[in-house]
Amino acid sequence: MGEFRMLKLGEQIRDEISKLIMLQKVKDPRVSTFLTINRVEVARDLAYAKVYVSSFLNESQVKKGVEGLNSAAGFIQSSIAKKLSIYKFPKLTFVADTSIKEGFDMVNKLNRMEEEENAQKTEKLSSEQSEN
């Protein structure tokens, strides 16, 4: 398959898995509706697909959710394979993706640093004005 078709297939799989999670079709109690499917990387031979899962839940809940998705992978694969018309459906492997949460934490740290810097500048200006 061409590169564009592989990306398109990954997007279709991501959308379908997201729908299954949001509609609570996956009955595993570890799978929360707060889980987000970020991206799906499909192997060129369609043998495997790596599904990246993230959430703003704490890390242990995300890990439990990923375990629940991995145990329900057969159900998810068969549900999606019925909807997509491809000759071979990839075996899904779910992986916790912390990049979004790490990025959010980094932005918060940068904002705090900027606030501290602004507070120091304001403090410095007010002390200079009081000296004059």
Side-chain angles (χ1 to χ4, degrees), residues 55-73:
S55 178
F56 283 105
L57 299 171
N58 65 31
E59 199 171 318
S60 66
Q61 288 177 312
V62 174
K63 286 182 182 179
K64 286 180 183 177
V66 168
E67 290 171 5
L69 287 169
N70 276 320
S71 69

Side-chain angles (χ1 to χ4, degrees), residues 3-111:
E3 188 68 29
F4 178 74
R5 291 182 67 196
M6 298 303 286
L7 291 172
K8 185 104 169 130
L9 177 62
E11 288 177 20
Q12 286 179 314
I13 293 172
R14 179 183 56 85
D15 290 343
E16 292 298 327
I17 295 171
S18 296
K19 287 178 190 173
L20 288 173
I21 292 172
M22 289 306 297
L23 297 173
Q24 297 179 340
K25 299 284 186 181
V26 180
K27 301 296 183 192
D28 194 308
R30 297 173 288 185
V31 178
S32 168
T33 55
F34 291 110
L35 294 176
T36 304
I37 306 300
N38 292 340
R39 68 183 190 277
V40 177
E41 293 178 355
V42 182
R44 284 205 173 277
D45 63 354
L46 295 178
Y48 297 95
K50 192 179 284 189
V51 181
Y52 293 91
V53 181
S54 72
S55 178
F56 283 105
L57 299 171
N58 65 31
E59 199 171 318
S60 66
Q61 288 177 312
V62 174
K63 286 182 182 179
K64 286 180 183 177
V66 168
E67 290 171 5
L69 287 169
N70 276 320
S71 69
F75 165 76
I76 295 169
Q77 287 168 203
S78 65
S79 297
I80 299 172
K82 291 173 187 172
K83 294 179 182 180
L84 301 180
S85 58
I86 55 175
Y87 68 95
K88 181 179 178 184
F89 195 83
K91 181 182 183 314
L92 301 177
T93 304
F94 293 88
V95 179
D97 184 8
T98 59
S99 62
I100 289 178
K101 191 166 190 172
E102 289 170 359
F104 184 74
D105 291 342
M106 183 62 70
V107 168
N108 284 338
K109 286 178 186 178
L110 290 172
N111 287 338

